[in-house]
């Protein structure tokens, strides 16, 4: 019997590859061996592991983040294991399969949905009779067959079981394929109509995850709530069966959140749900040029309602480099989305994906992009390479200061001294780069010192120092920063007495502040009595929880906030 190996090269270790689990489940009882790596793994290590697996048939799951490894791996494998039949599949090879086979020595490319196609290949069907494949015939000629029919998702088996459920990884789950919208930068517009897994199956699958108390389930549905009633029923089922541990992540359209959904979600347990919402741009002409049908005002209103209780982790996306949005106009989109106070703000950059409409129309918008994956924009008619390079630096600043969650109180204070949020991050990115910090990785204590130096010219130095000190301990650090927190002998005596009075372990920090550092910046009084806070770190919360820092106890009264 032939040995069949499927290889996934994931973007990060925390990710699991949903495609190979689905393929293996659909092809049962044909035995398949999975091999999972990351894009950061050494080429020779991956090659050695594949060679050791001794495959007769070898498949690769191909995406923009791993093709730089897949193509050279295919060439090397064909040299050391020339008899191996190599199959490629995935979005990165589905749209130019014939051209790819002219310079890549793979044998077969599965174009489009792969489960039924792979089963037919492995079952020994003649390639000439299998729809959805492009292949190299015995004559060396490259032949492309017509597309395979779309299958009913009801016939797809559940991809996970007690033996293959990935540990310590995000579990990806698919309850639908396709998208009703036609955003020009996305591939999902190619899959219409949207197909759904039956609700009864979804509920049973959720029971599997809940029973096993997995940390996070991430739905891969492109617009999960494109059918609002169906989405509501799934959210209600998860809410009613919450195990107090598992977090569920969804990509949703904010404009489709109706009153019933907002009411249910507003009363859900903390961090049960995590939402990713693509705003991309607030510029009407830009949204029109990319066929993105979104009412920005309604989306913003619904996001505000969704965030009002603070129980849902909200991740908002922007895309730089879209048609019609230059550097100045992008600032407006950034400021509008930042003011929604998401838990995470992702500043992404346009990628001209194979098969996307925007790639086909790139010339119309003056878009130049990198020829190599991930095909990221270099410049457009509206924004120069220098402009995009500046936004790259601002992206790093946002990740360092905002998305890390390490500067919550001090960042709010410093923001008050800049005209706009964008102006703050633009200034910090210039400070960071002008001193060469971008050339090497910086430790967290170093980042605190860098932000302190940047922020010192703004506002009150003592207020800033107190807020940075609070952020440092709130982020889970138990050792002080000597340059920031150097208690006097009197302070040390007072703190020692508080340890005794509160019967607290000295492994937990009790810290003196000149005022209540949890107050909003505008509410900080000019003169106040010292505040002492005990930081209790209560262990890792549910993924997506906003209670990242555990308990904060005000002493001497045991008040927990």
């Amino acid at each position: 019997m032939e040995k069949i190996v499927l290889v996934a090269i994931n973007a990060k270790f925390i990710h699991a590859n949903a495609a190979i689990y689905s393929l293996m489940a659909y092809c049962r009882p044909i035995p398949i061996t999975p091999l999972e790596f990351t894009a950061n793994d050494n080429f020779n290590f991956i090659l050695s592991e594949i060679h050791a697996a001794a495959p007769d048939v070898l498949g690769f799951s191909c995406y923009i983040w791993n093709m730089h490894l897949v193509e050279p791996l295919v060439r090397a494998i064909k040299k050391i294991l020339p008899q191996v039949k190599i199959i490629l599949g995935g979005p990165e090879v589905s749209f130019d399969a014939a051209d790819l086979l002219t310079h890549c020595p793979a044998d077969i490319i599965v174009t489009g949905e792969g489960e039924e196609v792979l089963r037919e290949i492995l079952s020994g069907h003649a390639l000439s009779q299998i729809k959805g494949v492009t292949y190299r015939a015995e004559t060396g000629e490259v032949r492309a067959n017509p597309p395979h029919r779309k299958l009913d998702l009801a016939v797809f088996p559940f991809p996970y079981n007690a033996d293959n459920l990935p540990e310590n990884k995000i579990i990806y789950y698919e309850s639908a394929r396709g998208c009703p919208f036609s955003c020009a930068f996305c591939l999902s517009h190619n899959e219409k109509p949207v197909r759904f897994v039956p609700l009864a199956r979804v509920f049973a699958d959720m029971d599997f995850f809940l029973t096993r108390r997995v940390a996070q389930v991430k739905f891969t549905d492109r617009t999960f709530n494109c059918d609002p009633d169906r989405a509501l029923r799934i959210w209600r089922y998860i809410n009613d069966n919450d195990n107090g541990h598992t977090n569920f992540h969804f990509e949703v359209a904010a404009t489709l959140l109706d009153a019933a959904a907002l009411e249910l979600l507003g009363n859900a347990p903390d961090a049960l749900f995590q939402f990713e919402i693509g705003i991309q741009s607030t510029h009407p002409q830009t949204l029109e040029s990319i066929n993105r049908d979104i009412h920005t005002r309604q989306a913003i209103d619904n996001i505000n309602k969704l965030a009002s209780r603070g129980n849902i982790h909200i991740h908002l996306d922007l895309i730089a480099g879209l048609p019609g949005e230059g550097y100045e106009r992008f600032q407006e989109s950034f400021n509008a989305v930042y003011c929604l106070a998401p838990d995470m703000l992702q500043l992404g950059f346009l990628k001209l994906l194979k098969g996307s409409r925007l790639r086909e129309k790139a010339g119309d918008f003056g878009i130049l992009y990198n020829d190599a994956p991930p095909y990221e924009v270099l410049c457009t008619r509206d924004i120069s390479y220098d402009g995009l390079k500046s936004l790259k630096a601002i992206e790093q600043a946002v990740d360092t200061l905002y998305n890390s969650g390490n500067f919550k109180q001090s960042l709010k204070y410093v923001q008050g001294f800049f005209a706009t949020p964008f102006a703050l991050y633009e200034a910090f990115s210039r400070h960071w780069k002008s001193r060469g910090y971008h050339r090497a990785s910086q430790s967290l204590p170093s980042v605190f010192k860098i932000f302190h130096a940047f922020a010192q010219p703004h506002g009150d130095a003592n207020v800033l120092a107190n807020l940075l000190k609070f952020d440092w301990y709130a982020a889970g650090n138990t050792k002080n920063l000597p340059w920031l927190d150097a208690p006097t002998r009197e302070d040390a005596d007072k703190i020692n007495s508080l340890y005794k009075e509160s019967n607290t372990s000295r492994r937990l920090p009790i810290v003196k502040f000149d005022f209540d550092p949890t107050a909003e910046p505008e509410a900080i009084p000019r003169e106040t009595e010292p505040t002492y806070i005990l930081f209790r770190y209560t262990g890792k919360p549910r993924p997506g929880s906003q209670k990242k820092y555990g308990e904060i106890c005000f002493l001497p009264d045991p008040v927990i906030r």
Side-chain angles (χ1 to χ4, degrees):
M1 179 179 291
E2 289 185 323
K3 183 172 184 183
I4 303 155
V5 174
L6 290 186
V7 175
I9 303 175
N10 304 319
K12 296 179 181 179
F13 173 80
I14 195 67
H15 300 164
N17 187 290
I20 64 169
Y21 288 93
S22 181
L23 291 165
M24 289 191 298
Y26 196 89
C27 290
R28 291 189 193 114
I30 299 171
I32 296 175
T33 300
L35 290 179
E36 290 198 70
F37 305 96
T38 78
N40 293 321
D41 282 332
N42 179 271
F43 173 87
N44 287 318
F45 168 73
I46 300 175
L47 181 62
S48 175
E49 291 293 294
I50 293 173
H51 181 267
D56 298 298
V57 178
L58 180 64
F60 285 93
S61 183
C62 303
Y63 300 89
I64 54 175
W65 61 80
N66 66 22
M67 279 305 287
H68 70 288
L69 285 169
V70 170
E71 286 199 57
L73 281 168
V74 170
R75 294 190 184 94
I77 289 162
K78 277 295 187 179
K79 291 176 181 178
I80 60 177
L81 297 171
Q83 301 307 313
V84 173
K85 181 188 294 183
I86 298 180
I87 305 171
L88 307 182
E92 183 54 22
V93 297
S94 287
F95 298 96
D96 63 347
D99 179 65
L100 182 59
L101 283 184
T102 63
H103 60 82
C104 178
D107 300 287
I108 305 168
I109 294 179
V110 176
T111 56
E113 192 167 85
E115 286 86 355
E116 178 67 22
V117 177
L118 182 63
R119 187 165 71 177
E120 291 178 7
I121 293 171
L122 299 182
S123 298
H125 294 203
L127 289 176
S128 61
Q129 301 303 309
I130 301 175
K131 293 183 178 181
V133 298
T134 298
Y135 63 100
R136 183 176 286 103
E138 291 182 3
T139 61
E141 177 190 1
V142 173
R143 297 176 182 172
N145 291 350
H148 200 283
R149 65 186 176 89
K150 301 294 184 183
L151 300 177
D152 183 353
L153 294 190
V155 307
F156 278 58
F158 183 56
Y160 303 107
N161 56 57
D163 296 325
N164 74 0
L165 188 64
E167 294 184 8
N168 304 315
K169 292 189 177 185
I170 298 170
I171 305 301
Y172 290 87
Y173 175 79
E174 181 177 55
S175 81
R177 286 185 179 177
C179 182
F181 303 111
S182 299
C183 300
F185 57 82
C186 182
L187 298 183
S188 295
H189 70 81
N190 292 304
E191 287 200 54
K192 288 184 173 59
V194 181
R195 292 168 291 151
F196 299 103
V197 174
L199 276 175
R201 252 285 307 280
V202 175
F203 296 156
D205 297 345
M206 296 304 99
D207 287 341
F208 175 88
F209 296 132
L210 290 162
T211 300
R212 284 155 183 81
R213 294 176 63 81
V214 303
Q216 186 174 58
V217 177
K218 188 168 185 176
F219 278 65
T220 60
D221 307 14
R222 297 307 302 167
T223 305
F224 175 77
N225 61 332
C226 63
D227 181 338
D229 179 66
R230 180 178 184 274
L232 180 63
R233 293 177 67 182
I234 294 174
W235 287 331
R236 182 175 290 123
Y237 187 87
I238 292 172
N239 183 76
D240 292 346
N241 294 277
D242 176 32
N243 62 13
H245 176 76
T246 305
N247 163 270
F248 294 85
H249 178 108
F250 304 89
E251 184 175 324
V252 301
T255 53
L256 298 180
L257 292 169
D258 57 23
L262 290 168
E263 180 180 3
L264 172 73
L265 297 169
N267 291 301
D270 177 62
L272 174 59
F273 298 119
Q274 181 170 308
F275 286 170
E276 182 172 352
I277 301 172
I279 302 296
Q280 319 311 7
S281 171
T282 61
H283 186 35
Q285 285 74 25
T286 293
L287 294 173
E288 182 180 356
S289 71
I290 59 173
N291 301 323
R292 188 162 175 79
D293 185 17
I294 179 174
H295 300 285
T296 303
R297 184 68 259 166
Q298 182 187 357
I300 289 174
D301 288 345
N302 282 347
I303 291 168
N304 280 324
K305 291 173 184 175
L306 190 66
S308 61
R309 250 208 62 201
N311 62 325
I312 293 177
H313 181 98
I314 298 176
H315 177 152
L316 300 182
D317 296 341
L318 285 171
I319 297 178
L322 291 172
E325 191 162 65
Y327 188 85
E328 298 299 323
R329 184 57 187 78
F330 183 81
Q331 295 182 40
E332 296 180 36
S333 291
F334 181 95
N335 290 328
V337 173
Y338 187 92
C339 289
L340 295 173
D343 297 284
M344 181 168 286
L345 171 56
Q346 179 173 309
L347 200 174
F349 291 79
L350 178 64
K351 295 170 180 60
L352 278 291
L353 303 176
K354 294 178 183 177
S356 68
R357 291 176 183 171
L358 201 52
R359 182 167 176 140
E360 297 170 2
K361 299 173 65 178
D364 296 345
F365 297 110
I367 300 174
L368 300 180
Y369 59 94
N370 198 320
D371 293 333
Y375 313 112
E376 192 165 283
V377 61
L378 295 171
C379 62
T380 75
R381 183 180 298 139
D382 304 288
I383 188 167
S384 67
Y385 178 72
D386 278 335
L388 287 170
K389 192 166 65 172
S390 295
L391 292 181
K392 280 280 186 182
I394 290 168
E395 175 196 26
Q396 183 186 9
V398 171
D399 285 343
T400 300
L401 299 180
Y402 187 86
N403 290 337
S404 69
N406 291 327
F407 297 88
K408 287 188 174 180
Q409 292 299 99
S410 51
L411 196 55
K412 283 192 289 186
Y413 177 69
V414 175
Q415 177 62 69
F417 298 96
F418 288 84
T420 66
F422 187 91
L424 164 62
Y425 291 99
E426 184 179 49
F428 181 76
S429 68
R430 289 173 178 168
H431 175 90
W432 183 278
K433 189 171 184 179
S434 67
R435 288 154 179 80
Y437 298 133
H438 64 294
R439 294 193 176 96
S441 178
Q442 303 294 329
S443 67
L444 186 59
S446 294
V447 175
F448 265 79
K449 199 164 189 175
I450 292 167
F451 184 57
H452 181 249
F454 163 77
Q456 268 192 317
H458 308 285
D460 183 284
N462 185 55
V463 170
L464 175 64
N466 274 267
L467 295 178
L468 273 171
K469 184 166 65 171
F470 175 80
D471 284 335
W472 172 255
Y473 288 104
N477 301 293
T478 59
K479 302 296 183 182
N480 73 330
L481 294 172
W483 56 269
L484 184 64
D485 180 21
T488 65
R489 178 61 181 271
E490 183 181 354
D491 293 338
D493 290 343
K494 174 64 175 178
I495 289 171
N496 283 333
S497 69
L498 289 172
Y499 273 115
K500 294 176 183 178
E501 291 172 21
S502 60
N503 193 28
T504 296
S505 167
R506 290 181 180 269
R507 291 194 300 270
L508 299 177
I510 293 176
V511 186
K512 175 195 173 185
F513 297 92
D514 295 330
F515 50 84
D516 178 358
T518 66
E520 292 300 312
E522 61 272 15
I524 295 173
R526 292 184 178 275
E527 296 182 9
T528 184
E529 292 296 316
T531 297
Y532 294 88
I533 294 179
L534 163 65
F535 292 86
R536 289 178 179 162
Y537 306 112
T538 55
K540 189 175 181 180
R542 174 157 39 190
S545 174
Q546 299 187 42
K547 296 177 180 177
K548 177 181 177 182
Y549 309 128
E551 299 171 338
I552 297 171
C553 305
F554 286 72
L555 299 174
D557 298 322
V559 178
I560 299 175
R561 299 190 186 181

